[in-house]
Amino acid sequence: MSEENGTLLSVRELRTYFETEDGTVKAVDGVSFELKRGETLGIVGESGSGKSVTNLSLLRLVPQPPGRIVSGEVLFNGEDIFALSEGEMRKIRGKRIAMIFQDPMTSLNPFMRISKQLMEITQLHLGHTRAQAYERAVEMLETVGMPDARTRARSYPHEFSGGMRQRVMIAMALSCEPELLIADEPTTALDVTIQAQILELIKELKRKTGTSVILITHDLGVVAGMTDHIIVMYAGKVFEQATTRELFACPGNPYTKGLLRSVPDPSHEEGTELYQIPGLPPDVARLPPGCPFAPRCERAEEICRREYPPFVQLNHDHHSLCHFAREVYDKSCHERESRKPAQEFTLNAPQSDSPATEQNQ
């Protein structure tokens, strides 16, 4: 089926729990989505919403204990990831599915030269000799824009800046030309100039290789010009999913609207206070009855605190977990119609160049 409809990755009802002294933490609770070949999927949400654990689960990298993948199905190119042996899984990690981990400062071994860390991957997965692996390491460093790559390959991680270490992580992830690249907060702790360079680098490499990308971030502004589809997560659940243009134009969930309002708007007058969602994310070991977002939601009514919300289909590619999803969606579309062009800063963000986006335009 995945070959027929172009689906590379299919996730169904994924649940990953952690056993703690305070009880069972449902870090990922019933997450489902699909990723087609050549597409970029953005997964956004506040810290603790389950974004990283979702993708660690895809690679079966959740530490056990305390974590465990309770249920669900992950099909990669039609193959059930959870049915593979650990040996078969090691052949996929790094080669067919690669991940840029969240913190480049701690993801590299401080006692090994950069070249050695890059060489290990191609020697393991591509059968390169030492000489071939070294040349491939230099080639990948050049590809990600590392200045004087052949010399810098002999350096240690502490000799690199944060942006340079992130480039090494990207080079490492792309060394075997994976079918799927998972980028977990690739711009965290980097200044805005380096952020832009890293994001542009991922777009350029994706354009050249056709690699599918999952981009994890808490910043909706980052995914505006990078993705074809977006999943918004909260308390381990998918709260909204839609095409990027649709979600920015007409969000159908109060939580998504709150995230969008939190993005600085250049059209605001000087001195305008930046909006922030009230309260704190919930303790997923002790979720309230009803909607998890109800205690922080400006639209919440008694039904929200009493009953778990339905996952409402707003149109073909747009779903929202909310009792009032249709009302929120219609109001968002109406607000969009009344906006001045200068205020539509999120809608005018450049879109990614994958075939899927061109079809959506």
Side-chain angles (χ1 to χ4, degrees):
M1 180 179 295
S2 72
E3 291 292 339
E4 293 175 0
N5 63 15
T7 300
L8 177 67
L9 181 71
S10 179
V11 179
R12 291 286 174 265
E13 293 297 320
L14 177 63
R15 289 177 169 82
T16 302
Y17 297 169
F18 290 82
E19 300 299 334
T20 71
E21 294 179 355
D22 295 327
T24 300
V25 175
K26 298 180 179 181
V28 177
D29 195 17
V31 169
S32 300
F33 63 87
E34 287 190 349
L35 176 66
K36 296 187 181 298
R37 298 179 185 281
E39 281 190 339
T40 298
L41 171 70
I43 302 181
V44 302
E46 294 171 295
S47 297
S49 60
K51 307 182 300 297
S52 295
V53 176
T54 295
N55 289 278
L56 289 173
S57 300
L58 303 184
L59 288 170
R60 286 171 42 183
L61 290 176
V62 175
Q64 302 183 41
R68 58 191 174 95
I69 299 172
V70 176
S71 63
E73 181 181 65
V74 176
L75 298 179
F76 176 66
N77 200 20
E79 192 172 29
D80 187 357
I81 289 290
F82 294 160
L84 300 178
S85 67
E86 185 56 36
E88 292 171 324
M89 195 64 212
R90 280 196 295 268
K91 294 178 181 179
I92 291 179
R93 293 192 202 107
K95 182 177 182 182
R96 299 180 63 194
I97 304 177
M99 187 166 183
I100 304 171
F101 290 94
Q102 188 167 2
D103 187 0
M105 301 297 183
T106 59
S107 298
L108 295 170
N109 189 325
F111 300 104
M112 293 173 60
R113 296 182 190 274
I114 294 299
S115 58
K116 176 64 174 175
Q117 299 187 56
L118 287 167
M119 290 164 61
E120 281 187 339
I121 299 171
T122 55
Q123 286 178 300
L124 175 63
H125 291 300
L126 303 182
H128 281 180
T129 64
R130 184 178 179 82
Q132 290 172 327
Y134 185 80
E135 290 303 316
R136 177 63 172 172
V138 172
E139 177 189 346
M140 290 309 302
L141 289 175
E142 291 173 343
T143 299
V144 299
M146 183 69 69
D148 195 13
R150 190 167 294 276
T151 300
R152 298 314 298 266
R154 296 193 293 271
S155 301
Y156 289 92
H158 73 269
E159 299 178 87
F160 285 7
S161 67
M164 292 171 72
R165 293 188 208 188
Q166 193 65 284
R167 289 174 186 268
V168 172
M169 295 297 297
I170 295 174
M172 190 179 298
L174 295 175
S175 289
C176 297
E177 298 185 357
E179 299 168 59
L180 171 61
L181 173 66
I182 301 172
D184 189 357
E185 300 276 11
T187 59
T188 295
L190 302 179
D191 64 62
V192 290
T193 303
I194 301 300
Q195 282 186 26
Q197 292 176 0
I198 295 297
L199 294 175
E200 187 58 37
L201 175 61
I202 293 175
K203 286 178 66 175
E204 181 63 24
L205 294 175
K206 174 178 175 290
R207 190 180 300 120
K208 290 180 178 178
T209 64
T211 297
S212 299
V213 177
I214 295 177
L215 178 62
I216 306 167
T217 180
H218 61 272
D219 186 351
L220 274 167
V222 167
V223 299
M226 288 284 294
T227 61
D228 303 293
H229 293 81
I230 295 178
I231 290 174
V232 180
M233 290 190 66
Y234 184 80
K237 303 177 187 298
V238 174
F239 258 52
E240 187 164 10
Q241 58 185 34
T243 63
T244 301
R245 181 166 290 276
E246 171 79 4
L247 186 133
F248 273 82
C250 299
N253 194 286
Y255 177 57
T256 306
K257 294 196 72 171
L259 291 177
L260 284 168
R261 288 176 64 190
S262 301
V263 178
D265 187 342
S267 68
H268 287 165
E269 295 181 2
E270 184 178 350
T272 301
E273 186 175 347
L274 182 64
Y275 175 82
Q276 60 181 356
I277 300 174
L280 297 173
D283 179 354
V284 288
R286 297 183 179 86
L287 289 176
C291 176
F293 187 59
R296 308 173 67 193
C297 182
E298 298 175 354
R299 180 62 185 84
E301 296 187 9
E302 184 57 34
I303 189 175
C304 305
R305 301 179 182 89
R306 186 179 66 248
E307 298 180 15
Y308 189 77
F311 202 48
V312 179
Q313 181 171 357
L314 299 171
N315 60 39
H316 177 65
D317 288 322
H318 195 165
H319 298 75
S320 173
L321 189 76
C322 181
H323 288 288
F324 303 103
R326 175 58 62 180
E327 174 193 316
V328 174
Y329 175 78
D330 290 342
K331 184 178 179 181
S332 297
C333 293
H334 177 73
E335 290 171 349
R336 180 198 176 194
E337 296 290 332
S338 62
R339 286 191 197 111
K340 296 178 181 179
Q343 293 175 307
E344 298 189 7
F345 67 100
T346 51
L347 301 182
N348 294 328
Q351 299 296 302
S352 65
D353 298 317
S354 73
T357 298
E358 295 172 359
Q359 293 170 6
N360 289 332
Q361 295 298 328

